Amino acid sequence: MPSYALVCRFDDSVILEKLRTDKKKLCLSTDVEDQLGNKKDSIIGTATDIQSGTILHWSDKFQIKATDKNGKESSKFDITYRQAFTFTASTKSVGDDDKAPSNGFIFRLDDDAKVSLYQKFGGDEWGLCHEKTYKKGDNVFRPPLVVGIWFEAADAGDTSTVTWDQKFHIDFTNSFSQTAYYNSKGVWNLVGPDSYASGALLSLTKGKGGYVVSQVPNRDFSLPPTKANGPRKEFTIAITPIVLLNIYIDTSTFEAGLEVTILGISIGSLYGNVKEGLVLHINLALVSGQVSLSLRKNGSDNELWAAAKVHFVGDFHTEINEEVKVLTF
């Protein structure tokens, strides 16, 4: 399942100190429309220790429960895309369903019931991202990829008095990580891709055991990966907030290349043979760890795997430790 990251920058020390003095928390919510078209939203998570570089991190991992007209609740179930949640008198379960959308779920009810959907936020917290009473029958729901951020009193409860239109909206439909900047006038702005690289000075070098990227006063960009001459596979894969772009592999020689973007910072291009392992070691102010491409044998098949083991310094000190099978050939 994809995960998402929003980096919040507060470069003005005066306004950052005012947020702390006023005991504000930074809130994140999703944009949800009910069946009547009314805007609804629920707080997924909050950051109370606001710093420049605060990272809000959430993923497409969900849990679900339902409550009937008599107030009787079901247990919580894990649920993923392309699955149906059945809540009937005889059955309360989650299972794969061909009718469920690739980016959503089916809520299958034999009577009206309140459905509560929770989304994973930060390291191991779950926030209520959607709650509504649905009618009897099959109800299709697709979690939105637009989020809103705003400030609330740190001691406020889970119910916000701030309307959706008053929040700063960020669309993650075509992105897994973005950066928002809160300026000295108290206005949010998105930082474009061209601004990311100028915000950090990086050095990318190849040493024993792989490549190393470090935040230093000077930059040293590597050349783009050379083009493979043999049978070639190209693809894009994301282990978010790590994004690996423009990956290719020559399936005859196992030479591979990729471009890496981390939290919107374009790290550069890497090239090597995945039989030996292609590794990027990361040592930045907010991020440390490694990203790698490797080759594995499975019987007569070759499998290309991407992995990320990364620690993000921020309000939740988020840990990413994931690996994904990219290709079988």
Side-chain angles (χ1 to χ4, degrees), residues 127-138:
L128 179 67
C129 67
H130 179 60
E131 188 169 75
K132 193 182 80 171
T133 298
Y134 282 90
K135 300 292 185 181
K136 173 182 177 179
D138 281 8

Side-chain angles (χ1 to χ4, degrees), residues 156-172:
D158 293 336
T159 303
S160 173
T161 58
V162 179
T163 66
W164 176 254
D165 291 337
Q166 294 173 312
K167 299 170 185 176
F168 182 65
H169 306 156
I170 305 167
D171 191 344
F172 280 83

